[in-house]
Amino acid sequence: MISALDVPLDLSQPPTITQQSPKDYIVDPRENIVIQCEAKGKPPPSFSWTRNGTHFDIDKDELVTMKPNSGTLVVNIMNGGKAEAYEGVYQCTARNERGAAISNNIVIRPSRSPLWTKEKLEPNQVREGDSLVLHCRPPVGLPPPIIFWMDNAFQRLPQSERVSQGLNGDLYFSNVQPEDTREDYICYARFNHTQTIQQKQPISVKVFSMDSLNDTIAANLSDTDIYGAKPVTERPPILLTPTGTTSNKVELRGNVLLLECIAAGLPTPVIRWIKEGGELPANRTFFENFKKTLKIIDVSEADSGNYKCIARNILGSTHHVISVTVKAAPYWITAPRNLVLSPGEDGSLICRANGNPKPSISWLANGVPIAIAPEDPSRKVDGDTIIFSAVQERSSAVYQCNASNEYGYLLANAFVNVLAEPPRILTPANKLYQVILDSPALIDCAYFGSPKPEIEWFKGVKGSILRGNEYVFHDNGTLEIPVAQKDSTGTYTCVARNELGKIQNEVQLEVKDPTLIIKQPEYKVIQRYGHVSFECIIKHDSTLIPTVIWLKDNDELPDDERFLVGKDNLTIMNVTDKDDGTYTCIVNTTLDSVSASAVLTVVARPNPPFDLELTGQLERSIELSWIPGDENNSPITSFVIEYEDGLHEPGVWHYQTEVPGSQTTVQLKLSPYVNYSFRVIAVNEIGRSQPSEPSEQYLTKSANPDENPSNVQGIGSEPDNLVITWESLKGFQSNGPGLQYKVSWRQKDVDDEWTSVVVANVSKYIVSGTPTFVPYEIKVQALNDLGYAPEPSEVIGHSGEDLPMVAPGNVQVHVINSTLAKVHWDPVPLKSVRGHLQGYKVYYWKVQSLSRRSKRHIEKKILTFRGNKTFGMLPGLEPYSSYKLNVRVVNGKGEGPASPDKVFKTPEGVPSSPSFLKITNPTLDSLTLEWGSPTHPNGILISYILKFQPINNTHELGPLVEIRIPANESSLILKNLNYSTRYKFYFNAQTSVGSGSQITEEAVTIMDEVQPLYPRIRNVTTAAAETYANISWEYEGPDHANFYVEYGVAGTMASRQVDIATQGWFIGLMCAVALLILILLIVCFIRRNKGGKYPVKEKEDAHADPEIQPMKEDDGTFGEYSDAEDHKPLKKGSRTPSDRTVKKEDSDDSLVDYGEGVNGQFNEDGSFIGQYSGKKEKEPAEGNESSEAPSPVNAMNSFV
């Protein structure tokens, strides 16, 4: 036995109805009628029809045709036929040699949309507050029309709890109001089948208010009491529909249950629904028409019961109970299924249905009641079952089961087909199945055979039969692998066999990696007009091609260029409020689909509040209320209230108060004599909204001032006056017009009366002729045209100050150490201060250093000690120096006289480091050390300490040797040193207090003895002029010498030496001198005057252009000059010394360092004016030495 749905179409089988028209078929009378009937079978079936239970001969009606190879009828109404002529019950029969199948009874009815019957409609005149029903009463159509109410402008009439349309189409007014008056209440009926709308005549409603009704009664109704001229009275609810207290309702199972209650009353009643003895069904219950309609979808027998509607207002309530009974047309429990049997097999057809009332079951064979059908010994009817035993080929037939009750019927065809067929596999060979890892794999083996074949599955070409819990074998031959793994990939073989034969088929299974979203879009909060991006990064099987789709709120993305879809992201530019929503990334392949969603919340500053309203106006308070604007997805945290004073400061808004975001009203305190306007600003986390529109203005009444000026002070600007100042009241603080101030003062601690003066709206008053610096009691009181402010508080002020009269006495100095001293003094009498005592100032200055008798510019230092302090510390003193100091008292006017100068001396301290340390004349075993005394000896030097130690090639230090040197020495020759050895030297000075900081240097003894060339400067001469001095000398010694010149005014310390070679003016001067020297050398060459001298001063005056200088072509240095007679080399001067030694300002006046064969003179300002002579010869540069020519100018480049 096998399902006929699997029977191949090339085998014989009885007819099966595949398509038919609905049982209740309403047709458009203007179009052709098409009654469908399609069937399949082998051989193809033929078709016939009955109409109203008798054969319908379509050949006799030229308007009726049947489609080729089909049973579908077409009635050609558009060629003159009338639909009403073809009303009736139609049934189709499909027949072949193996049986006959029949369709349902198809009831054909043309739709109808009749016109409204004409009627005379009287105007409705209704008293205000009464109920009203406007009846629609549409014409009976097929199907029933859809009803709605509109006006003459085709606008739907507004509906509410008070006015609404009932299920029958009538318009109900629970109570009428004057605004209900109109003449165009129009009921429309729309007939969907014919797509037509019918219109009822307009209905007029006139609502009389109580005031106008009294006039109407007096004029037109002769004082009758029809309307009673009573005021509008409130009434308890009464039901307009349904009427009475109970009613019944029958509904069929599966339909929609609609229950309605509409009530009249004033105020408008509210409707509530309950089910007696139970709950309204969840998820299937809905309330419509302002809760006047209860809707329950897909009702079942369990929904039967009593439903109560309750109408209530403040005056009472009423109710109505609707008893609901749910009946049921027949519905299937087990519908009969087609059978395919082999000869000799047994089988059965089962037909089971239910309904309310329970349906009756009847059987037909090939469309004929089974009781009168040809007998078949293999079948037996047993109520809702037909049993077949040992069937033969002649047992093939189509059986019909009919289940019916008073609410409808069910008809089902099921055939019995007797066949003998070997197995067939209908699934294509080598079909490829692809599934995702860990998902079920369903591998088909669609088969057919009679008797029904047995199915077996194998994996691989020579695999064993598949068994076990990891496989599921379906009746239709399908093999299911519930959880496919990678090792499930391979070839599967399906084998079908019955007693007539055997067949097999192979299919392929591939298991793919799942598609994953490894980076999902995330929840985003973005401000309006910002940019936002959602990521959707995926991982997928390499053999599958994914497609990515983005949705917004489960719909396509807006067609907007702001939405940019990338490979793995979605970007939205310039986000707006409408972009708010849920964005979903969907990734599809041919095998699977995954998705991920994220919410985008667009936030912005709130919209401004609106509808500001002022209520509860009082003299000193008012209530402000407002309606918040849209918060734009960010909750409003607070409201800021601002006010404008249109009387005193129009256009200027001031902060008033701030309230929480949940508050929309605030009680505001007001001041008198202010023309208030208010505005409200909403605040959320994003920022502040724009201000609301201003409220209406509110002018408060005038009153006495509530407060007096603040910050009252009395401070004299001169010794004989008192300046009284205060902060004026602001405009709204004046409380009224004519604001003035009453200023009062009297001397403190003196039995004087108050002196008062009234001044205009100013902030200062000057009292003249006061004693110097005496206390005053002061008060300032506000007043306006209505009176005075409360009594003000008094403040203490003072008249003007004068300079202090007395200097501090008994000044004592206690020297703590060489850099710190403590000074004491006695305070001056307070009366002599003549003002506010601010403190004391200590002036102190260095007179001279006790270690040097040089004079210097006196720089006074000042320390201020606040308040009535009588001592202080003097830091930063120089050791071994003489100081003076004095003390002065200070008040607000200035300083008093100074105390007598007090002299004190600081003790010795440790000296600073020696000014320089220079190591020269290296030999095999000796070095010469020269040094300069400390710049700041800070006492009397008693000795120098020299420490030195050798350094090997790995920079390790050897033993340390210490030598003490007398303080009057400035050089030392160290002997008995190791040859070719580097030494490190540490050198410092000592006073009686201790050692100063040290200076270090390194030097190396030589490897081979070379006769040293000792430098010598001789024949130093000077010639002083009014503004300069010429200095000349002769130099003999080694090459690369630096020249230093020290000079000073007689009787003072030597001035600080200056490296003039780095001065711009000197470089320019040297350029000019070089040019002059070139000219002089040319002249010397011509005259051949060896050793001749040339006054450079004259040349300098004649050739002052520093730009004209001979330069070497290769390196840009100054050119070389030679005497043609001797050809002796002119030695090159070195650049700045490598040891960077610099002579200090307190060095002795001397010429140091070396040159060769040169006489030089310098102006006092450092300019070179000397004369040069010597034997010169070109000499190539060596090593890393300077490539400059051996010119005197180069020697000058190292002046400091």
Side-chain angles (χ1 to χ4, degrees), residues 67-307:
K67 290 184 178 182
N69 302 318
S70 167
T72 297
L73 295 181
V74 178
V75 182
N76 198 340
I77 299 300
M78 302 179 70
N79 279 346
K82 293 200 177 286
E84 292 79 1
Y86 292 93
E87 284 191 69
V89 179
Y90 293 79
Q91 188 172 46
C92 171
T93 300
R95 186 184 308 274
N96 68 9
E97 61 188 27
R98 291 204 164 234
I102 62 175
S103 70
N104 292 321
N105 287 326
I106 303 171
V107 179
I108 301 296
R109 293 185 296 171
S111 65
R112 297 181 179 86
S113 53
L115 298 176
W116 246 288
T117 57
K118 289 188 177 182
E119 56 182 324
K120 185 178 181 181
L121 299 176
E122 296 292 335
N124 291 274
Q125 296 187 358
V126 193
R127 184 176 62 176
E128 179 183 356
D130 285 354
S131 61
L132 175 65
V133 180
L134 300 182
H135 298 287
C136 180
R137 299 191 182 98
V140 177
L142 186 67
I146 297 173
I147 306 300
F148 52 93
W149 289 79
M150 296 198 299
D151 58 15
N152 276 330
F154 297 101
Q155 298 297 314
R156 285 188 177 269
L157 296 174
Q159 298 190 20
S160 63
E161 289 184 342
R162 186 178 63 85
V163 181
S164 61
Q165 177 183 315
L167 294 176
N168 63 354
D170 292 346
L171 191 62
Y172 292 86
F173 294 77
S174 295
N175 52 81
V176 295
Q177 303 296 327
E179 60 265 25
D180 297 328
T181 297
R182 62 191 308 154
E183 297 180 352
D184 57 348
Y185 287 92
I186 304 174
C187 181
Y188 289 85
R190 183 175 67 223
F191 298 90
N192 284 342
H193 266 69
T194 59
Q195 297 181 350
T196 58
I197 296 178
Q198 302 292 349
Q199 172 184 336
K200 187 182 179 76
Q201 289 179 311
I203 301 174
S204 173
V205 174
K206 174 72 172 177
V207 179
F208 292 97
S209 65
M210 290 303 100
D211 293 339
S212 63
L213 194 58
N214 286 331
D215 296 338
T216 302
I217 292 173
N220 301 321
L221 300 180
S222 302
D223 294 329
T224 60
D225 203 26
I226 295 175
Y227 295 101
K230 298 177 181 177
V232 176
T233 57
E234 296 179 338
R235 298 185 310 281
I238 59 171
L239 288 175
L240 299 176
T241 183
T243 58
T245 58
T246 60
S247 59
N248 297 310
K249 173 78 172 179
V250 175
E251 191 56 79
L252 293 182
R253 178 180 182 271
N255 287 354
V256 176
L257 173 65
L258 293 174
L259 304 178
E260 180 181 57
C261 275
I262 300 177
L266 187 67
T268 303
V270 176
I271 305 296
R272 186 168 66 92
W273 291 89
I274 61 172
K275 182 181 181 182
E276 293 182 345
E279 298 290 334
L280 295 174
N283 304 323
R284 294 188 294 116
T285 301
F286 303 91
F287 297 101
E288 296 179 347
N289 197 20
F290 309 99
K291 292 191 176 182
K292 299 175 186 179
T293 302
L294 172 64
K295 177 180 178 181
I296 301 176
I297 62 174
D298 192 22
V299 295
S300 64
E301 290 86 342
D303 295 322
S304 297
N306 292 331
Y307 292 81

Side-chain angles (χ1 to χ4, degrees), residues 18 45 134 151 166 208 245 369 379 446 495 514 534 563 568 606 743 839 857-858 867 875 877 899 917 937 944 985 1184:
T18 59
L134 300 182
D151 58 15
F208 292 97
T245 58
R379 74 173 179 233
V495 177
F534 291 106
F563 288 77
D568 52 15
V743 184
H857 171 70
I858 296 176
L877 302 177
S899 66
L917 173 63
Y944 292 100
F985 297 90
N1184 293 328

Side-chain angles (χ1 to χ4, degrees), residues 982-1197:
R982 176 176 295 275
Y983 286 89
K984 186 166 186 178
F985 297 90
Y986 311 89
F987 193 68
N988 60 356
Q990 274 191 330
T991 64
S992 60
V993 177
S995 298
S997 56
Q998 64 184 11
I999 185 172
T1000 63
E1001 189 59 81
E1002 293 184 9
V1004 183
T1005 55
I1006 64 175
M1007 181 176 293
D1008 299 320
E1009 185 69 51
V1010 179
Q1011 182 65 33
L1013 181 61
Y1014 296 103
R1016 184 173 60 173
I1017 296 175
R1018 59 191 178 88
N1019 297 334
V1020 179
T1021 60
T1022 62
E1026 183 177 351
T1027 60
Y1028 64 90
N1030 288 336
I1031 306 171
S1032 303
W1033 65 87
E1034 292 180 355
Y1035 168 73
E1036 294 179 357
D1039 199 359
H1040 311 309
N1042 297 323
F1043 295 92
Y1044 294 87
V1045 176
E1046 290 188 353
Y1047 63 92
V1049 180
T1052 66
M1053 298 295 289
S1055 67
R1056 181 183 179 183
Q1057 55 203 22
V1058 180
D1059 187 353
I1060 61 176
T1062 63
Q1063 306 298 309
W1065 61 268
F1066 181 77
I1067 295 173
L1069 177 61
M1070 288 300 100
C1071 293
V1073 170
L1075 178 60
L1076 294 176
I1077 292 172
L1078 176 61
I1079 297 172
L1080 289 173
L1081 291 176
I1082 294 173
V1083 174
C1084 290
F1085 180 81
I1086 295 172
R1087 296 176 60 181
R1088 296 180 178 277
N1089 185 8
K1090 182 178 179 180
K1093 296 183 180 180
Y1094 301 91
V1096 182
K1097 178 65 177 176
E1098 297 176 5
K1099 301 299 181 180
E1100 187 177 14
D1101 294 340
H1103 302 281
D1105 186 359
E1107 297 295 325
I1108 307 173
Q1109 303 180 27
M1111 306 295 288
K1112 288 178 65 177
E1113 292 181 358
D1114 55 350
D1115 62 1
T1117 60
F1118 290 109
E1120 299 177 342
Y1121 312 97
S1122 64
D1123 190 302
E1125 186 172 339
D1126 265 328
H1127 304 291
K1128 288 187 177 181
L1130 181 65
K1131 300 298 182 179
K1132 294 184 292 181
S1134 70
R1135 296 176 183 259
T1136 304
S1138 61
D1139 60 2
R1140 291 298 185 187
T1141 58
V1142 178
K1143 291 291 288 180
K1144 301 302 180 180
E1145 64 183 2
D1146 53 357
S1147 301
D1148 296 335
D1149 293 341
S1150 64
L1151 292 171
V1152 296
D1153 289 30
Y1154 325 111
E1156 180 182 8
V1158 179
N1159 293 328
Q1161 292 182 337
F1162 287 83
N1163 283 334
E1164 187 179 43
D1165 62 358
S1167 60
F1168 189 86
I1169 60 171
Q1171 299 173 342
Y1172 305 89
S1173 67
K1175 298 175 181 179
K1176 312 168 182 66
E1177 187 177 29
K1178 283 190 177 181
E1179 180 178 354
E1182 297 177 1
N1184 293 328
E1185 299 277 348
S1186 168
S1187 62
E1188 297 178 1
S1191 163
V1193 177
N1194 287 328
M1196 298 302 298
N1197 283 340

Side-chain angles (χ1 to χ4, degrees), residues 8 39 304 450 469 653 673 694 758 1071:
S304 297
S450 184
N469 296 330
W653 290 90
Y673 195 52
V758 175
C1071 293

Side-chain angles (χ1 to χ4, degrees), residues 705-724:
D706 291 327
E707 51 190 310
N708 288 302
S710 60
N711 198 22
V712 177
Q713 293 182 338
I715 302 174
S717 60
E718 298 295 337
D720 61 348
N721 74 7
L722 171 66
V723 180
I724 303 174

Side-chain angles (χ1 to χ4, degrees), residues 882-944:
S882 176
Y883 281 88
K884 287 184 178 181
L885 65 77
N886 59 52
V887 184
R888 311 174 192 196
V889 67
V890 182
N891 67 8
K893 190 71 173 179
E895 299 176 6
S899 66
D901 291 349
K902 187 75 174 178
V903 179
F904 67 96
K905 297 178 181 179
T906 55
E908 290 187 72
V910 296
S912 63
S913 62
S915 58
F916 70 89
L917 173 63
K918 183 163 60 177
I919 304 172
T920 59
N921 300 330
T923 67
L924 286 173
D925 62 351
S926 69
L927 293 169
T928 300
L929 280 69
E930 296 179 356
W931 61 85
S933 60
T935 304
H936 301 286
N938 294 336
I940 299 174
L941 296 180
I942 59 174
S943 64
Y944 292 100

